[in-house]
Amino acid sequence: MLSQQDQLELAACYIKQLRERVEGLKRVKEEQAITTTRTSSSAMTSMMIGLRLPVVELRDFGSTIEVVLISGLNKNFMFYEVINVLSDEGVEVISASYSTVGDKVFHTIHAQVRISRVGVETSRVCERLQELIC
């Protein structure tokens, strides 16, 4: 049987060990956070380096299409001109959104073919958008 003094010393020693362990775990956590940030940042940078701007992507889903435009902040084009090209080609814009990530601007347009029997020639739309954006 341990005396009360011995029990207090053991408890104090145990608390000290726990504090040291907590501090060590905090350091490991901080190091991992820094490593993760560097990794994700370098992955995003390498992905963006491989991306030649501007980018025009058009996905045809039958009666609807999705247009994704990626440009740099310094590349200016009038968004209404993109809408006009789509309208000229027989497509009605349902929704449009954009977001800025770093020095890139991502535009996404969802549109619907006005006359589904006629459809839309997506290669022509893509070509006209390339001419407009590039």
Side-chain angles (χ1 to χ4, degrees), residues 1 23 30 33 40 54 76 78 81 85 101 104 122 130-131:
M1 180 99 182
E23 290 301 316
E30 289 171 3
S40 64
N76 295 323
M78 296 298 171
E81 293 174 334
V85 167
V101 178
K104 312 287 183 275
T122 54
Q130 290 271 355
E131 291 172 4

Side-chain angles (χ1 to χ4, degrees), residues 35-133:
T35 303
T36 302
T37 303
R38 286 182 188 157
T39 303
S40 64
S41 174
S42 65
M44 182 67 133
T45 303
S46 64
M47 182 184 82
M48 291 303 199
I49 288 173
L51 192 64
R52 301 198 127 205
L53 298 177
V55 173
V56 176
E57 246 182 56
L58 195 130
R59 295 184 190 110
D60 188 354
F61 299 110
S63 64
T64 61
I65 61 172
E66 179 184 61
V67 179
V68 177
L69 306 171
I70 306 170
S71 66
L73 289 174
N74 59 351
K75 176 63 176 167
N76 295 323
F77 63 90
M78 296 298 171
F79 196 66
Y80 77 90
E81 293 174 334
V82 173
I83 304 296
N84 284 342
V85 167
L86 294 171
S87 182
D88 290 348
E89 294 297 327
V91 178
E92 181 180 356
V93 173
I94 304 299
S95 68
S97 63
Y98 78 96
S99 62
T100 305
V101 178
D103 62 344
K104 312 287 183 275
V105 181
F106 295 80
H107 300 272
T108 305
I109 303 168
H110 292 101
Q112 187 171 7
V113 178
R114 279 194 215 129
I115 305 171
S116 59
R117 289 186 317 239
V118 176
V120 66
E121 191 177 333
T122 54
S123 60
R124 179 174 159 80
V125 173
C126 195
E127 184 180 304
R128 287 189 62 193
L129 290 174
Q130 290 271 355
E131 291 172 4
L132 176 67
I133 304 301

